[in-house]
Amino acid sequence: MNFRDVTRAKGAYTYRYVTNEDEPDLSKGTYIRVEEGTNTLDYSVNANGNKKVIAELYLNYERRFGKHDIKGLLLYNQESYSAAVGGGKNNAISGLPYKYQGLVGRAAYAFDDRYFAEFNFGYNGSENFIKGRRFGFFPAFSAGWLISNESFIQDNLPQISLLKLRVSAGVVGNDKSGQRFLYQGKWILDAPGYQFGTNNDGAWYAGAEENATGNPFVTWEKSKKFNFGLDLGLWNNELKLETDIFYERRDNILTQPLTIPEIVGIANLPMINAGIVDNKGFEATLTYQKNINDFGYFIRGNVSFARNKIVDITEPKLEGREWQARTGRRINEHMGLTAIGLFKDWEDIASSPKQTFGPVQPGDIKYADLNGDGQIDTQDEGYLGRVSIPETMAGLSLGLNYKGFDISVLFQGAFGAYVYYGGSSTYPFSQNSSVLAEVKDNYFSTQNPNVNALYPRMTSNDNANNYRVSSFWHRNSDYVRLKNAEIGYTFSKALINKIGISNARIYLTGLNLYTWSKIKTFDPEIPDGTGSYPQQRTINMGINFSF
């Protein structure tokens, strides 16, 4: 059973009529307020189910005449979605349905199965923007040339079974920033207030406060995408190559206006459409597959690379502190102190800039003085040029089959990322934890005075200097993993049909079987902090029957 309850409650003021015992005239009494009420209605929603109402109306056109092929589509759609929400006071926004409206169009043309062109558009409206800014127009265009269907290829290069060039460009929009109705200011009515009177009957009155400033100019985030692709197939597609080069510029990204100083007096600055991010890269997949009588095999490799850059984030120019600026950096780039090894001895400490995070001894982490003021503090924290998300992903899958037997393996790799190794998992004795064997065997000590040791000197208490976020605790998380392997056998139908079974297969699979990585103690795909549960190695055996 689904339910959706909306409650509008208002507290009543209650009074007590009091008269003097010595006064016989009851009309000369007074009212004393007993309970405080409220001047406005509360709003709360409690619903245990989701509800979506969709309306669509579309018109299709399709016709082929001679060498010409034309297709068209016009689609109107609107949607109302009500989500489950827990009962609570003042949850008006989460209790309101999400509403969208739009018009979509597509026109496609092909000539002689060689030349292709397509135009698409979306005229979409969102509830999240003020009237007059709710709708956005998002066009896209693509074209292709199937060169392998040209006579000069078919007549002279029959080994080319597929050769196609593709190009596309378009704009897409995003209205889902995680916050709704940013164009509206939000007020609370229970801010610190005032009291009338000083006796026992004095009542407290809450104040009103704008805790979120609205921005009536907020609108769609936009992403301009460009793509160029090449598809190549040789020898009846035994060898096939698919490649794409892409560029994307996202603008109008919602961001905090960091250039507005606090002296203006706005406690909660509204989000504005001002951020710009570039993203570019490529993807490629190469496949070779062959069947010879009862024997077949395939090899498939893929690689992708993507790098982004923050072009603008509305931050002030940090002259003299350029290392703290996000502009020009990458999304998910680590920030912290720049470690330059460990202190060798007391003379090394005395001749180095003063570190202000706590007393230091030989074996403690030594940081770079980026601003050259002779001391290490938070002004020396900056972006480190290391990201937490891999920029390069690669995979290799192999498989073969012979009669009823089949074998397949999948290797997966990720490169270009760093993971933050700090936290109670690696800090010795932190939060009553134990000491990792890797730390025990590789820390700085009088017996191992190595300034390039993997870990600083060991302490029984948290070390304020060493446990700062810094490049010292970053580990390269490149890895290659045998992600999946499977071996199976499919029984001959001539054999199993005799006992009433149409198909039967027995198999053995393994998941996360082995990983090659510089990180040995933890999984290289762990998030920062090393506190998550590791991936499991799984072995499965099964039999499938079909009757």
Side-chain angles (χ1 to χ4, degrees):
M1 179 184 71
N2 284 355
F3 63 82
R4 188 174 187 84
D5 299 330
V6 178
T7 303
R8 305 299 305 272
K10 182 178 183 295
Y13 292 92
T14 60
Y15 301 85
R16 184 173 69 246
Y17 188 71
V18 180
T19 61
N20 193 315
E21 294 180 354
D22 299 327
E23 177 59 59
D25 187 357
L26 298 180
S27 65
K28 295 183 178 180
T30 59
Y31 287 95
I32 298 177
R33 183 177 294 171
V34 178
E35 296 288 343
E36 289 296 314
T38 56
N39 294 318
T40 58
L41 286 172
D42 290 334
Y43 184 97
S44 66
V45 177
N46 186 22
N48 73 334
N50 302 326
K51 183 178 70 172
K52 180 180 289 188
V53 179
I54 300 175
E56 289 187 348
L57 178 66
Y58 65 89
L59 178 65
N60 266 326
Y61 176 82
E62 184 172 348
R63 184 181 177 188
R64 184 177 182 91
F65 54 96
K67 296 182 179 181
H68 305 275
D69 192 358
I70 299 176
K71 296 180 181 179
L73 169 69
L74 193 62
L75 169 68
Y76 169 81
N77 65 84
Q78 67 179 40
E79 176 184 318
S80 176
Y81 172 69
S82 299
V85 59
K89 184 179 179 181
N90 301 325
N91 61 349
I93 292 179
S94 58
L96 293 174
Y98 299 78
K99 294 189 175 182
Y100 303 94
Q101 187 180 35
L103 184 67
V104 176
R106 182 176 71 242
Y109 172 75
F111 175 75
D112 197 24
D113 293 329
R114 290 181 292 160
Y115 310 107
F116 306 87
E118 185 172 314
F119 174 74
N120 295 271
F121 76 87
Y123 186 65
N124 301 321
S126 171
E127 62 171 10
N128 285 329
F129 312 125
I130 199 170
K131 185 177 180 180
R133 305 181 71 87
R134 289 176 179 162
F135 284 86
F137 181 70
F138 307 104
F141 173 80
S142 63
W145 179 21
L146 192 56
I147 306 174
S148 54
N149 279 359
E150 297 285 357
S151 58
F152 63 84
I153 294 291
Q154 294 178 345
D155 295 340
N156 301 300
L157 298 169
Q159 63 270 31
I160 297 179
S161 49
L162 173 66
L163 179 58
K164 183 177 183 180
L165 295 178
R166 299 175 280 107
V167 63
S168 63
V171 181
V172 297
N174 175 42
D175 70 314
K176 296 176 176 61
S177 64
Q179 302 180 60
R180 301 176 69 185
F181 313 132
L182 288 173
Y183 61 90
Q184 292 184 334
K186 298 176 185 177
W187 291 76
I188 58 174
L189 302 180
D190 54 358
Y194 48 88
Q195 182 185 31
F196 276 123
T198 57
N199 57 21
N200 293 335
D201 296 329
W204 278 97
Y205 290 86
E209 178 182 63
E210 187 179 26
N211 69 335
T213 305
N215 175 13
F217 301 102
V218 69
T219 187
W220 291 86
E221 295 182 1
K222 293 185 177 181
S223 175
K224 302 178 180 68
K225 298 174 180 267
F226 305 89
N227 189 88
F228 176 79
L230 168 68
D231 299 328
L232 174 64
L234 301 176
W235 307 299
N236 199 26
N237 288 335
E238 286 183 3
L239 179 64
K240 192 171 182 180
L241 173 67
E242 298 172 290
T243 61
D244 286 276
I245 301 172
F246 62 87
Y247 170 76
E248 176 185 11
R249 164 159 285 205
R250 292 177 55 207
D251 56 19
N252 274 2
I253 300 173
L254 285 171
T255 183
Q256 292 284 353
L258 303 178
T259 55
I260 299 178
E262 294 182 357
I263 196 173
V264 174
I266 302 177
N268 299 283
L269 291 170
M271 303 285 280
I272 61 174
N273 295 100
I276 303 174
V277 174
D278 280 351
N279 188 33
K280 56 187 176 182
F282 68 88
E283 299 175 347
T285 301
L286 182 64
T287 304
Y288 183 77
Q289 54 187 3
K290 183 81 171 177
N291 290 300
I292 305 172
N293 298 325
D294 293 331
F295 178 75
Y297 63 95
F298 72 89
I299 303 173
R300 180 180 297 111
N302 65 278
V303 62
S304 65
F305 173 82
R307 173 167 291 179
N308 59 64
K309 178 182 177 181
I310 299 174
V311 178
D312 191 2
I313 198 171
T314 68
E315 65 181 355
K317 291 183 178 180
L318 300 175
E319 296 183 1
R321 291 187 292 129
E322 292 79 5
W323 54 88
Q324 294 184 339
R326 291 198 68 191
T327 302
R329 300 289 180 172
R330 289 172 284 175
I331 298 173
N332 298 312
E333 186 168 332
H334 288 285
M335 185 178 185
L337 293 164
T338 300
I340 53 176
L342 303 174
F343 284 112
K344 180 181 179 180
D345 48 34
W346 289 104
E347 183 179 350
D348 188 13
I349 295 174
S351 61
S352 300
K354 180 182 178 182
Q355 302 195 171
T356 61
F357 307 116
V360 294
Q361 298 182 25
D364 285 339
I365 302 175
K366 183 178 181 179
Y367 302 115
D369 183 12
L370 297 184
N371 61 358
D373 63 354
Q375 68 177 14
I376 309 298
D377 52 27
T378 56
Q379 297 299 310
D380 297 297
E381 295 176 346
Y383 289 96
L384 302 172
R386 299 172 174 179
V387 292
S388 58
I389 303 297
E391 292 186 322
T392 302
M393 300 292 295
L396 176 65
S397 55
L398 311 168
L400 60 88
N401 60 276
Y402 178 69
K403 294 186 176 180
F405 289 96
D406 62 271
I407 299 174
S408 63
V409 295
L410 170 64
F411 293 91
Q412 173 184 292
F415 311 92
Y418 285 79
V419 63
Y420 181 68
Y421 229 47
S424 59
S425 298
T426 50
Y427 298 158
F429 309 114
S430 179
Q431 300 182 16
N432 298 318
S433 65
S434 58
V435 181
L436 289 175
E438 180 181 301
V439 178
K440 177 181 68 67
D441 297 333
N442 296 280
Y443 72 96
F444 182 101
S445 65
T446 54
Q447 295 77 25
N448 179 36
N450 179 10
V451 294
N452 296 314
L454 290 178
Y455 294 92
R457 70 181 179 93
M458 192 181 300
T459 57
S460 58
N461 297 318
D462 284 354
N463 190 305
N465 180 81
N466 294 344
Y467 296 170
R468 306 289 300 183
V469 177
S470 73
S471 60
F472 184 90
W473 296 103
H474 286 149
R475 299 290 188 270
N476 184 285
S477 59
D478 293 353
Y479 73 89
V480 174
R481 170 175 285 144
L482 178 52
K483 185 68 176 178
N484 184 65
E486 180 172 329
I487 182 171
Y489 178 74
T490 302
F491 292 91
S492 170
K493 290 188 176 183
L495 176 63
I496 60 176
N497 287 345
K498 296 178 181 179
I499 56 176
I501 300 176
S502 58
N503 290 287
R505 183 172 182 269
I506 185 171
Y507 63 89
L508 177 68
T509 63
L511 184 66
N512 297 324
L513 295 174
Y514 192 80
T515 302
W516 294 267
S517 174
K518 294 180 180 179
I519 296 178
K520 304 300 181 183
T521 305
F522 302 99
D523 188 274
E525 290 188 283
I526 58 173
D528 290 340
T530 69
S532 63
Y533 197 80
Q535 295 198 51
Q536 300 181 41
R537 181 182 293 115
T538 305
I539 307 295
N540 292 318
M541 180 179 228
I543 302 175
N544 292 331
F545 292 103
S546 297
F547 296 93

